[in-house]
Amino acid sequence: MSFAGIETHPLIAELASLKLQCPPARHSGLIEAAAHVADEAAAHVADEAATGTDGIEAIPDLVRQSFAPGVLGQLLAIRRLVRELGQDPWAVYLKWALLGTLRDVASVRVGWPYQRPTIGRQAPHADPIARFRRRAAIIAEDLALLPRTPPAGGTRAVVACGDSRDAGAWHRCVPVPADGCVSSPPYLNNFDYADATRLELYFWGEVTSWA
């Protein structure tokens, strides 16, 4: 092991871990999985349109205010299908393709790091299902550049979700003495990842309120 990271924000820790792990053998499998989810989502949305129901569940106001109703219905259909994949190796990649789609299709100001749902804008992309497929394709293109097998000597990098102020977190993440430690200082203007990722956290259902 040549690198170990400890990150307290679960969403950021998941993304960092995903970027560092060796992907499944065929990156084209992600394209196929995304196409299947997109086709199923489109069929689901068409069925609901035919029956006159929108299928939008009770969700936080931030999410509801950020998307046109039709767009939100498509995003929720994709979310349900990705969740149903369970432990499929491509599920977490599709989750991030979907989370990456949110700000692309939002009809309000959702710039990084702050979301302003009271200020409208023209969404950069009108079709959330098509944008989801494109996001998955972008990830697949990146995966195609990565090695398919772990480097010699085993795992070279790992990220754990925890508090770096906790000695136990270091013992779990770094089982051997380290040659050095780099700690992130406070960000300018007290940058808050919890605030910056509210839209993604609320949409996925990991958080339901600011409290």
Side-chain angles (χ1 to χ4, degrees), residues 90-107:
W90 292 120
V92 67
Y93 292 93
L94 293 177
K95 170 186 176 180
W96 279 97
L98 175 57
L99 294 182
T101 299
L102 298 182
R103 301 187 189 220
D104 293 339
V105 299
S107 54

Side-chain angles (χ1 to χ4, degrees), residues 33 42 66 71 75 86 94 116 147 159 164-165 168 170 175 191-193 206:
S66 295
V71 169
L75 292 171
L94 293 177
R116 298 177 175 84
V159 174
S164 62
R165 298 170 297 180
W170 287 96
F191 187 83
D192 187 346
Y193 274 117
E206 293 186 33

Side-chain angles (χ1 to χ4, degrees), residues 103-180:
R103 301 187 189 220
D104 293 339
V105 299
S107 54
V108 299
R109 294 287 181 88
V110 288
W112 186 272
Y114 304 112
Q115 293 83 55
R116 298 177 175 84
T118 59
I119 303 178
R121 69 161 187 177
Q122 180 68 40
H125 298 272
D127 186 337
I129 293 178
R131 187 57 184 167
F132 165 73
R133 293 184 69 158
R134 179 56 191 148
R135 278 284 185 177
I138 292 171
I139 295 174
E141 290 166 6
D142 287 343
L143 294 180
L145 303 176
L146 298 179
R148 301 272 82 38
T149 58
T155 302
R156 305 297 294 171
V158 61
V159 174
C161 184
D163 188 337
S164 62
R165 298 170 297 180
D166 174 16
W170 287 96
H171 291 303
R172 291 189 296 272
C173 187
V174 190
V176 297
D179 295 324

Side-chain angles (χ1 to χ4, degrees), residues 47-116:
D47 287 344
E48 294 212 335
T51 58
T53 59
D54 59 19
I56 296 178
E57 66 223 61
I59 55 174
D61 287 341
L62 172 63
V63 177
R64 188 180 298 277
Q65 295 169 4
S66 295
F67 307 98
V71 169
L72 181 55
Q74 294 178 66
L75 292 171
L76 292 174
I78 297 171
R79 186 185 72 175
R80 176 181 61 80
L81 291 161
V82 172
R83 284 175 170 174
E84 289 176 356
L85 290 173
Q87 298 302 310
D88 185 289
W90 292 120
V92 67
Y93 292 93
L94 293 177
K95 170 186 176 180
W96 279 97
L98 175 57
L99 294 182
T101 299
L102 298 182
R103 301 187 189 220
D104 293 339
V105 299
S107 54
V108 299
R109 294 287 181 88
V110 288
W112 186 272
Y114 304 112
Q115 293 83 55
R116 298 177 175 84

Side-chain angles (χ1 to χ4, degrees), residues 17-36:
S17 180
L18 185 65
K19 285 177 173 287
L20 291 169
Q21 72 182 32
C22 288
R26 284 191 318 118
H27 66 273
S28 60
L30 175 56
I31 301 294
E32 296 164 6
H36 173 73

